[in-house]
Each structure stands twice: as C-alpha cells, then as structure tokens.
C-alpha cells in the first residue's frame, strides 16, 4: 500500500514527514505502508522510512470525547516503561498537540513482531502443549514485571489517583450500572448476584496494598507472543492504564482465564481451543516468583481481586447490552456480551463459595 492510499483524514503523510523531520528522525520515502488489525478504539498504521520500521497510533476517524487524552496517557506510560524490562512497544516519539494532524493526537512506537493467540496459533505453539503451558505462565510473569516497576521512579507519581483506589471500586461500578437505566429501552440489569457480590467485596476488601502501574485490561487478547516460543513479545492496548493496585490486573487475568469446564475456553480463540494451559493457582505462583512484584502486596487475597475483576468487567460489558436495547449496538452483540456478563457473575459466585 502506498501512503496516498491511506485516508488523509487519518494520516497526512506530508504533515507526518515534516513532523518526523523536526524530531530528528531519519528522512526518506514512506514504504511498506499498511494498516494493522487490533483494537476497535484506535487506528494502527505500520510503515518503513529510511530503513526503520514504525507503527503510528491515533484515534479513529471520528474521534471520541476522550480519545486524545487517552493517547497522551498511553504515550507517557510507554515512555516510562522504556528500560524497565516490561515487554511493551517502545515509544519513539509522540505528538500531544492535536492541531498538527487535523485534530488527532498520535505517537510512533516500535512494531511488535508477534501474534495474538486469541486470533491465531502458529507452530510450534499449536502442536506443543508444553509451549502453550509456558505461554500461560509467561502471561503471569510479564504482568509481574509490570508490578515490579516503581511508578514514582519512572516519573508517573502524578499519573493516577491511588489514594482510596480499592475503597471506591464497588460504588464506582454500581453507579455505572445504574447509569445504563438512562438509555431508552433498557429494562434494567437482569444479572443475578450483583448485590451479593458487591456486598461480599465491600466486606472483605484487603486492608493493605501497594500502588503501582495498572494496565487495566490484562487478558490474552491484549498480549502478543513470540513466533519462536512461549515468550510474551509485548503487552498492548494501554488505554485503560492508571496507577492503582496491580493485583487487580492479576485478578483480571484469572477472571478471564480459559476454563473448559464452564465454556469460557471458546472465548480465548485458538489458544483456548488447543488447551494445555496452566491452572489459576499456577498463574499466581508464576507471578509470585518475582519478590519485587509481591513485596507489600497480599497474594492471599487474590480471590478478592478475581471477584472484583468479574464484577467490574461484567458491568462494563452490560453497558453494550444496554446500548443494544437503545438501538446503539446490534442486538446480537448485546446478547453475546450479556451472556458473558452472566458468566462472569456466576464465576464470581463460584469463587466466593470456594
């Protein structure tokens, strides 16, 4: 694909060239330009210039209210993670000024050479259960590398609001659920267990925790793996990142982990279908291998974090069901996500009972 084949409303390559030149990046023609799949919120375009590969990330053609602010935050986090050992794309340069590219903030990052296992599963991963087992353990280890980062030391001391983070979670998401009633046609949440799960979370909130970088949406669909083996090539899609309790990321991984017993393996695509993944207990043990990730954090409360992840994610997904009732999403999508919400709350109640 040539640069002129990309919608100039998304990327004006003349503007991009001048901006890159002004940042001291190598001059030259844009080559091997192509759009990349991944995520529904933003646009990814890969290209080569003067022998170097780049990925440009910006919002969709119709920018949402918070898109530019989110991209500014993403760029800041990726810059902070450089040199930490956390597998993530590396920031090359960012343009926080929305006036440069027709109203859109954008940034350039290094490409990730890898694949997402919820979309495809190449060899040797498809044919070797030990590789798939290692993929699961490495999902937890990559997360522990993030949990080990001192957010203040990397310049993110003012990035979020860690004070009261755990205390406000339940009320925050119950308020979100209540807000869906403003959508015309939505009859209200039909989700067994909401009140019981909320009450359990409030009564058993961990008494101590240590703030750190929270990815905010940590699951297999946001991981890229090496083509050569079970290593995580990169954690991607940092748009939900903040400073909070990193154990919620581990809880999120556990809440979304493929389990053949309840049918959730199907949601993990080819990797879930292939099986051979480690147990939830093995994931926690792999996370705990790094003493600097767990210092000051109470892994004995991990069930609480997994239940909170089920609670939060279920309410987020129910929002699309509510929008489907209002005609703002397809009924098929609404029904699918509502069924996942029901499964998450059922999973939360099983965790509580165990």
């Amino acid at each position: 694909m040539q640069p002129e084949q990309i919608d100039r409303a998304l990327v004006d390559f003349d503007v991009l060239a001048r901006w890159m030149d002004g940042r001291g990046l190598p001059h030259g023609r844009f080559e091997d330009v192509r759009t990349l799949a991944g995520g529904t919120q933003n646009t990814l375009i890969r290209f080569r210039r003067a022998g170097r590969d780049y990925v440009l990330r910006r919002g969709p053609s119709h920018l949402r209210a918070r898109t530019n602010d989110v991209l500014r935050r993403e760029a800041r986090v990726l810059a902070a993670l450089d040199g930490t050992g956390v597998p993530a794309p590396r920031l090359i340069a960012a343009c926080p000024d929305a006036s440069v590219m027709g109203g859109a903030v954008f940034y350039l990052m290094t490409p990730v050479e890898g694949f997402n296992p919820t979309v495809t599963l190449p060899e040797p991963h498809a044919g070797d259960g030990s590789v798939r087992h290692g993929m699961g353990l490495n999902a937890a280890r990559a997360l522990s590398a993030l949990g080990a980062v001192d957010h203040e030391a990397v310049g993110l001391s003012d990035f979020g609001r860690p004070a009261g983070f755990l205390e406000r979670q339940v009320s925050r998401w119950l308020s979100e659920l209540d807000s869906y009633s403003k959508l015309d046609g939505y009859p209200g949440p039909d989700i067994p267990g909401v009140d019981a799960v909320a009450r359990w979370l409030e009564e058993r909130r961990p008494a101590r925790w240590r703030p750190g970088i929270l990815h905010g949406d940590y699951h297999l669909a946001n991981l890229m793996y090496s083509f050569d083996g079970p290593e995580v090539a990169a954690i991607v899609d940092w748009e939900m990142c903040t400073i909070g309790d990193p154990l919620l990321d581990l809880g999120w991984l556990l809440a979304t982990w493929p389990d053949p017993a309840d049918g959730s393996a199907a949601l993990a695509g080819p990797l879930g279908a292939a099986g051979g993944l480690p147990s939830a207990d093995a994931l926690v043990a792999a996370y705990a291998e790094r003493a600097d990730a767990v210092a000051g954090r109470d892994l004995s409360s991990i069930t609480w974090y997994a239940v909170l992840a089920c609670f939060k994610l279920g309410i987020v997904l129910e929002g699309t069901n509510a929008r489907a009732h209002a005609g703002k999403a397809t009924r098929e999508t609404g029904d699918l996500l509502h069924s996942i919400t029901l499964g998450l709350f059922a999973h939360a109640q099983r965790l509580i009972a165990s």
Side-chain angles (χ1 to χ4, degrees):
M1 183 180 293
Q2 298 301 313
E4 57 268 21
Q5 295 176 286
I6 299 290
D7 186 350
R8 288 174 70 91
L10 284 175
V11 179
D12 185 325
F13 281 89
D14 293 333
V15 170
L16 180 61
R18 290 193 295 271
W19 180 83
M20 291 179 68
D21 293 347
R23 298 298 174 283
L25 295 170
H27 298 235
R29 295 176 57 249
F30 292 96
E31 301 174 317
D32 298 332
V33 179
R34 62 188 188 273
T35 57
L36 300 178
T40 59
Q41 303 298 315
N42 293 296
T43 298
L44 297 170
I45 298 174
R46 181 166 179 166
F47 62 88
R48 179 177 299 139
R49 192 181 192 215
R52 184 175 186 181
D53 291 319
Y54 302 84
V55 171
L56 181 147
R57 183 169 168 92
R58 58 146 288 164
S61 54
H62 299 290
L63 294 174
R64 296 171 173 83
R66 295 185 60 252
T67 297
N68 283 338
D69 285 340
V70 168
L71 285 165
R72 292 183 184 103
R73 289 172 63 83
E74 284 183 15
R76 184 176 172 191
V77 168
L78 293 181
L81 292 177
D82 195 13
T84 64
V86 175
R90 295 312 184 210
L91 184 76
I92 298 172
C95 181
D97 182 355
S99 69
V100 172
M101 190 72 74
V105 165
F106 66 91
Y107 62 83
L108 300 177
M109 60 183 173
T110 57
V112 176
E113 304 302 337
F115 69 94
N116 181 264
T118 68
V119 176
T120 186
L121 197 64
E123 294 294 348
H125 310 73
D128 191 334
S130 66
V131 172
R132 297 193 298 276
H133 189 84
M135 291 171 71
L137 296 179
N138 286 333
R141 290 169 180 145
L143 183 57
S144 69
L146 179 62
V149 174
D150 182 335
H151 66 284
E152 295 182 341
V154 297
L156 296 177
S157 59
D158 61 342
F159 190 71
R161 296 189 300 124
F165 177 81
L166 291 188
E167 289 78 4
R168 61 178 177 263
Q169 290 301 304
V170 172
S171 59
R172 159 74 179 85
W173 293 104
L174 285 178
S175 294
E176 180 75 7
L177 185 61
D178 287 343
S179 74
Y180 301 156
S181 298
K182 298 176 184 177
L183 291 165
D184 291 338
Y186 181 57
D190 182 14
I191 308 172
V194 169
D195 292 338
V197 172
R199 186 165 52 251
W200 185 90
L201 287 167
E202 291 284 45
E203 291 172 351
R204 291 166 175 79
R205 186 186 309 116
R208 65 182 179 93
W209 63 282
R210 177 165 63 93
I213 302 173
L214 182 74
H215 178 273
D217 194 20
Y218 195 86
H219 52 83
L220 286 168
N222 284 335
L223 296 179
M224 303 290 287
Y225 280 89
S226 167
F227 287 112
D228 298 329
E231 293 77 20
V232 173
I235 305 166
V236 297
D237 287 348
W238 291 83
E239 55 212 52
M240 302 297 290
C241 187
T242 189
I243 302 303
D245 188 338
L247 288 186
L248 180 53
D249 274 340
L250 181 56
W252 205 273
L253 182 65
L254 299 178
T256 57
W257 196 244
D259 184 350
D262 62 11
S264 61
L267 299 175
L271 180 58
L277 294 172
S279 66
D281 288 344
L283 294 179
V284 175
Y287 185 94
E289 290 171 1
R290 287 191 67 129
D292 50 358
V294 298
R297 298 187 175 124
D298 185 8
L299 274 178
S300 68
S301 296
I302 194 58
T303 296
W304 187 89
Y305 291 95
V307 171
L308 176 59
C310 290
F311 179 82
K312 177 178 175 179
L313 180 55
I315 289 174
V316 169
L317 297 180
E318 181 65 11
T320 300
N321 179 43
R323 287 188 287 276
H325 278 284
K328 299 181 178 182
T330 67
R331 186 64 267 156
E332 180 182 15
T333 299
D335 288 342
L336 172 63
L337 296 187
H338 179 66
S339 70
I340 296 173
T341 291
L342 296 180
L344 286 165
F345 273 89
H347 184 38
Q349 292 177 91
R350 287 194 299 272
L351 289 170
I352 289 171
S354 64

